[in-house]
Amino acid sequence: MSRRRQPTIYPPSAGELMDRANGLARDLLYEAPHRDGRAMLRAWGEVVEGARELWHQLPQRSDLPGSGRQVIDQLERSARTQHRSAGGGIDVDPTLQEIGQMLTEAAALITRSGVIERREPNRWTDAHLRDSFAARVNVMHTLYVASHAVSVGLAQTAVEEQGDPRLQVHRVTGEELRHQVLGIEQITHGYLNGHYPHALDGRHREPADDTRIPGAIAAWDVYAQRALTREPTTHAMTRVAGAAFKASVHVHALWRAAVESGQVDPRTFENEISPALDTMIERWGEAQEHFQQLTHPHDSSPLVLSKAGWELVDSMREVTANARTAASAEDMRGRVDAKSLVRSLHRFHATVAGVASVFHEAARNAPLLVDARAANNIARATSADDGPGSLSTQDATVAPRDALLKRAIPIPDGIRSRGEDAGRQAALASRASLRSTLTASDRREAATSLPTSSTRPPSSAGRLAAGQRHEHASSAARLESERDLHLSR
């Protein structure tokens, strides 16, 4: 039995869970044209239900029941009506489900804290109420973006239903559902009007924890490699690539803060680290987009992998972001020690390079299941772009019935080659970024070891000669000690 301690994940705050839900809603808006609008509408009720639970747990000026009908209750009643109108079906959008779960978890955190049970006459200060109102605005913005994503998905579903008589089996058409969701979107926009994003300035902020980033990197390393080797799925690969992409964006800002603090030479950052890091961000983004397209709606990955990825990003956002803007380099230096930050950044690059190798291997050999319709669309688009004969018919064939029913099928060889290429490019870019940071460390250490009167770094030949002299001296000392020991016997 292994006695190795399991990596721990920093527990998220209620505010971080709200931010995660808002980030998922923003991502969903870009993916909405490729989603099933009716499946999104079936999951919309869970989002509103989670938002309602959270809404009523937040402090407010009047705690008297019946003080007025709140907008969240109106949205909850509309969501119940629309769920019945969506028609029978088992497909439920997983992203909207996850948003609802995050909002529900945030409500549970506030409940367990016991803050609502306080009985003091003036239990809510102005700071409490500002933070609470900022949270409500954040939740409503999540509902606004998510409702717009649902309307975009329903617009595409309506076009498909109008063009294919086989899909016209529902009592309420997709176009009618879209107009109903647009009404909800107007309600949420009315609440935000005049408050977003200014109200977010009232959010409470806890001091940053210096140990959080290293811990998040270590936990993500373990769970990402474990998922890619033991349970490789397109969903897991999307999660890994997405976490690497988002964290790398924050790492770019953290490196710049390290430059401002004097820990890294500015020219080295601009000429080596920044270009390599930009390429790595681009390659991980492409890998995430590719595997996200192939992910079947019923595919899944370990929940702990998702939490580790979110924690990796949140630990860095805690340093790089303010309430509603990016933090300045001065702010970041005040939140985390510069030397420990540079050590964490080196650890991040080494971790990403290791995960990227496993990611590439999974893309090349893992028995992945993919969405048949998405695989068929990619195969057709590739054939159209590269001309006839670009993909073998046998390698890229998807059965028409599988594509029509959106089944999960083994990844065709012709499609796998594109995923393998995306994984290889991400691995190459990650290793190149790691090398650029190691070069910066070597140069800085060499510069600090020189006398103050000299500014030229030692040449490679000089370093080699010094190393050989040190090796010969060590060997001579070792031989001398062995001879003395022999004589003493």
Side-chain angles (χ1 to χ4, degrees), residues 255 263-264 268-269 272-274 276 342-343 345-351 353 430-446 463:
W255 272 115
Q263 296 296 315
V264 179
T268 302
F269 173 76
E272 298 183 24
I273 297 179
S274 182
V342 172
R343 288 195 296 268
L345 292 176
H346 285 301
R347 180 177 299 178
F348 171 79
H349 284 279
T351 297
S430 299
R431 288 195 290 270
S433 184
L434 172 62
R435 285 194 298 270
S436 71
T437 62
L438 293 177
T439 302
S441 298
D442 292 341
R443 291 181 180 178
R444 179 162 183 81
E445 290 175 4
R463 288 198 299 268

Coordinates of all heavy atoms in Angstrom, one line a residue, residues 255 263-264 268-269 272-274 276 342-343 345-351 353 430-446 463:
W255 N 5.6 36.6 -15.3 CA 6.9 36.8 -15.7 C 7.2 38.3 -15.9 O 8.3 38.7 -15.5 CB 7.2 36.1 -17.1 CG 7.6 34.7 -16.9 CD1 6.9 33.6 -17.4 CD2 8.8 34.2 -16.4 NE1 7.7 32.4 -17.1 CE2 8.8 32.8 -16.5 CE3 9.9 34.8 -15.8 CZ2 9.9 32.0 -16.0 CZ3 11.0 34.0 -15.3 CH2 10.9 32.6 -15.4
Q263 N 14.1 40.4 -11.0 CA 14.5 39.0 -11.0 C 14.9 38.5 -12.3 O 15.6 37.4 -12.4 CB 13.4 38.2 -10.4 CG 13.0 38.5 -9.0 CD 14.2 38.3 -8.0 OE1 14.8 37.2 -8.1 NE2 14.5 39.2 -7.1
V264 N 14.5 39.1 -13.4 CA 14.8 38.6 -14.8 C 15.2 39.8 -15.6 O 14.7 40.9 -15.5 CB 13.5 37.9 -15.4 CG1 13.8 37.5 -16.8 CG2 13.0 36.8 -14.5
T268 N 16.2 39.5 -21.9 CA 16.0 38.1 -22.0 C 14.5 37.7 -22.1 O 14.1 36.9 -22.8 CB 16.7 37.4 -20.8 OG1 18.0 37.7 -20.7 CG2 16.5 35.9 -20.8
F269 N 13.7 38.5 -21.3 CA 12.3 38.2 -21.3 C 11.7 38.6 -22.7 O 11.0 37.8 -23.3 CB 11.6 39.1 -20.2 CG 10.1 39.0 -20.3 CD1 9.4 37.9 -19.9 CD2 9.4 40.1 -20.8 CE1 8.0 37.8 -19.9 CE2 8.0 40.0 -20.9 CZ 7.3 38.9 -20.5
E272 N 13.5 36.1 -25.5 CA 13.5 34.7 -25.4 C 12.2 34.1 -24.8 O 11.5 33.3 -25.3 CB 14.7 34.2 -24.7 CG 16.0 34.5 -25.4 CD 17.2 34.0 -24.7 OE1 17.1 33.0 -24.0 OE2 18.3 34.5 -24.9
I273 N 12.0 34.6 -23.5 CA 10.9 34.0 -22.8 C 9.5 34.4 -23.4 O 8.7 33.5 -23.6 CB 10.9 34.5 -21.3 CG1 12.2 34.0 -20.6 CG2 9.7 34.0 -20.5 CD1 12.4 34.4 -19.2
S274 N 9.3 35.6 -23.7 CA 8.0 36.1 -24.1 C 7.6 35.4 -25.5 O 6.5 34.9 -25.6 CB 7.9 37.6 -24.3 OG 6.7 38.0 -24.7
A276 N 8.6 32.6 -26.8 CA 8.4 31.1 -26.6 C 7.1 30.9 -25.8 O 6.3 29.9 -26.1 CB 9.6 30.5 -25.8
V342 N 9.4 33.4 -9.0 CA 10.2 32.9 -10.0 C 10.4 31.4 -9.9 O 10.4 30.7 -10.9 CB 11.6 33.6 -10.1 CG1 12.5 33.0 -11.1 CG2 11.4 35.1 -10.4
R343 N 10.6 30.9 -8.7 CA 10.8 29.4 -8.5 C 9.5 28.7 -8.9 O 9.5 27.7 -9.6 CB 11.1 29.1 -7.0 CG 12.5 29.5 -6.6 CD 12.8 28.8 -5.3 NE 12.0 29.3 -4.2 CZ 12.3 30.4 -3.4 NH1 13.4 31.0 -3.6 NH2 11.5 30.7 -2.5
L345 N 7.4 29.8 -11.2 CA 7.3 29.8 -12.6 C 8.1 28.8 -13.3 O 7.7 28.1 -14.3 CB 7.6 31.2 -13.1 CG 6.7 32.4 -12.7 CD1 7.2 33.7 -13.2 CD2 5.3 32.1 -13.3
H346 N 9.3 28.6 -12.8 CA 10.2 27.5 -13.3 C 9.5 26.1 -13.1 O 9.6 25.3 -14.0 CB 11.6 27.5 -12.6 CG 12.4 28.7 -13.1 ND1 12.8 28.8 -14.4 CD2 13.0 29.7 -12.4 CE1 13.6 29.9 -14.5 NE2 13.7 30.4 -13.3
R347 N 8.9 26.0 -12.0 CA 8.2 24.7 -11.7 C 7.1 24.5 -12.6 O 6.8 23.4 -13.1 CB 7.8 24.7 -10.2 CG 7.0 23.4 -9.9 CD 6.6 23.4 -8.4 NE 7.8 23.5 -7.5 CZ 7.7 23.5 -6.2 NH1 6.6 23.5 -5.6 NH2 8.8 23.6 -5.5
F348 N 6.4 25.6 -12.9 CA 5.2 25.5 -13.9 C 5.7 25.0 -15.3 O 5.1 24.2 -15.9 CB 4.5 26.8 -14.0 CG 3.5 26.9 -15.1 CD1 2.2 26.3 -14.9 CD2 3.8 27.5 -16.3 CE1 1.3 26.4 -15.9 CE2 2.8 27.6 -17.3 CZ 1.6 27.0 -17.1
H349 N 6.7 25.7 -15.8 CA 7.2 25.3 -17.1 C 7.7 23.9 -17.2 O 7.4 23.2 -18.1 CB 8.3 26.3 -17.5 CG 7.8 27.6 -18.0 ND1 7.3 27.8 -19.2 CD2 7.8 28.8 -17.3 CE1 7.0 29.1 -19.3 NE2 7.2 29.7 -18.2
A350 N 8.4 23.4 -16.1 CA 8.8 22.0 -16.1 C 7.6 21.1 -16.0 O 7.6 20.0 -16.7 CB 9.7 21.8 -14.9
T351 N 6.6 21.4 -15.3 CA 5.4 20.6 -15.2 C 4.7 20.6 -16.5 O 4.2 19.5 -16.9 CB 4.5 21.2 -14.1 OG1 5.2 21.1 -12.8 CG2 3.2 20.4 -14.0
A353 N 5.8 21.0 -19.5 CA 6.6 20.2 -20.4 C 6.4 18.7 -20.2 O 6.2 17.9 -21.2 CB 8.1 20.5 -20.3
S430 N 6.0 23.6 -25.5 CA 6.2 23.6 -24.0 C 7.7 23.4 -23.7 O 8.2 24.0 -22.8 CB 5.3 22.5 -23.4 OG 4.0 22.8 -23.6
R431 N 8.3 22.5 -24.4 CA 9.8 22.3 -24.2 C 10.6 23.5 -24.6 O 11.6 23.8 -23.9 CB 10.2 21.0 -24.9 CG 9.7 19.7 -24.3 CD 10.4 18.5 -24.8 NE 10.1 18.3 -26.2 CZ 9.2 17.5 -26.7 NH1 8.4 16.9 -25.8 NH2 9.0 17.3 -28.0
A432 N 10.2 24.1 -25.7 CA 11.0 25.3 -26.1 C 10.8 26.4 -25.0 O 11.8 27.2 -24.7 CB 10.5 25.8 -27.4
S433 N 9.6 26.6 -24.5 CA 9.4 27.6 -23.5 C 10.2 27.3 -22.2 O 10.7 28.2 -21.5 CB 7.9 27.7 -23.1 OG 7.6 28.7 -22.2
L434 N 10.2 26.0 -21.8 CA 11.1 25.6 -20.7 C 12.5 25.9 -20.9 O 13.2 26.5 -20.0 CB 10.9 24.1 -20.4 CG 11.8 23.5 -19.4 CD1 11.6 24.1 -18.0 CD2 11.6 21.9 -19.3
R435 N 13.0 25.7 -22.1 CA 14.5 26.0 -22.4 C 14.7 27.5 -22.3 O 15.8 27.9 -21.8 CB 14.8 25.4 -23.8 CG 15.0 23.9 -23.9 CD 15.7 23.5 -25.1 NE 14.9 23.9 -26.3 CZ 14.0 23.1 -26.9 NH1 13.7 21.9 -26.4 NH2 13.3 23.5 -28.0
S436 N 13.8 28.3 -22.7 CA 14.0 29.7 -22.7 C 14.1 30.2 -21.2 O 14.9 31.1 -20.9 CB 12.9 30.5 -23.4 OG 11.7 30.4 -22.7
T437 N 13.3 29.6 -20.3 CA 13.4 30.0 -18.9 C 14.6 29.5 -18.3 O 15.2 30.2 -17.4 CB 12.2 29.5 -18.2 OG1 12.1 28.1 -18.2 CG2 10.9 30.1 -18.8
L438 N 15.1 28.3 -18.6 CA 16.4 27.8 -18.1 C 17.5 28.6 -18.5 O 18.5 28.9 -17.7 CB 16.6 26.3 -18.5 CG 15.6 25.3 -17.9 CD1 15.8 24.0 -18.5 CD2 15.6 25.3 -16.4
T439 N 17.5 29.1 -19.7 CA 18.6 30.0 -20.2 C 18.6 31.3 -19.4 O 19.7 31.8 -19.1 CB 18.4 30.3 -21.7 OG1 18.4 29.1 -22.4 CG2 19.5 31.1 -22.3
A440 N 17.5 31.8 -19.1 CA 17.4 33.0 -18.4 C 18.0 32.8 -17.0 O 18.7 33.7 -16.4 CB 16.0 33.5 -18.3
S441 N 17.7 31.7 -16.4 CA 18.2 31.4 -15.0 C 19.7 31.2 -15.1 O 20.4 31.7 -14.2 CB 17.6 30.1 -14.5 OG 16.2 30.3 -14.4
D442 N 20.2 30.5 -16.1 CA 21.7 30.3 -16.2 C 22.4 31.7 -16.3 O 23.4 31.9 -15.7 CB 22.0 29.4 -17.4 CG 21.6 28.0 -17.2 OD1 21.3 27.6 -16.0 OD2 21.4 27.3 -18.2
R443 N 21.8 32.5 -17.1 CA 22.5 33.8 -17.3 C 22.4 34.7 -16.1 O 23.4 35.4 -15.8 CB 21.8 34.5 -18.5 CG 22.1 33.9 -19.8 CD 21.4 34.6 -21.0 NE 21.7 34.0 -22.3 CZ 21.2 34.4 -23.4 NH1 20.4 35.5 -23.5 NH2 21.5 33.8 -24.5
R444 N 21.3 34.6 -15.4 CA 21.2 35.4 -14.1 C 22.2 34.9 -13.1 O 22.9 35.7 -12.4 CB 19.8 35.4 -13.6 CG 19.7 36.2 -12.3 CD 18.3 36.6 -12.0 NE 18.2 37.4 -10.8 CZ 18.5 38.7 -10.8 NH1 18.8 39.4 -12.0 NH2 18.4 39.4 -9.7
E445 N 22.3 33.6 -12.9 CA 23.2 33.0 -11.9 C 24.7 33.4 -12.3 O 25.5 33.7 -11.4 CB 23.0 31.5 -11.8 CG 21.7 31.1 -11.2 CD 21.5 29.6 -11.2 OE1 22.4 28.9 -11.7 OE2 20.4 29.2 -10.8
A446 N 25.0 33.3 -13.6 CA 26.3 33.6 -14.0 C 26.6 35.1 -13.8 O 27.7 35.5 -13.4 CB 26.5 33.3 -15.5
R463 N 33.3 28.3 -19.1 CA 32.5 27.4 -18.1 C 33.0 26.0 -18.2 O 33.0 25.3 -17.2 CB 31.0 27.6 -18.5 CG 30.5 28.9 -18.1 CD 28.9 28.9 -18.0 NE 28.4 28.5 -19.3 CZ 27.9 29.4 -20.1 NH1 28.1 30.7 -19.9 NH2 27.4 29.0 -21.3

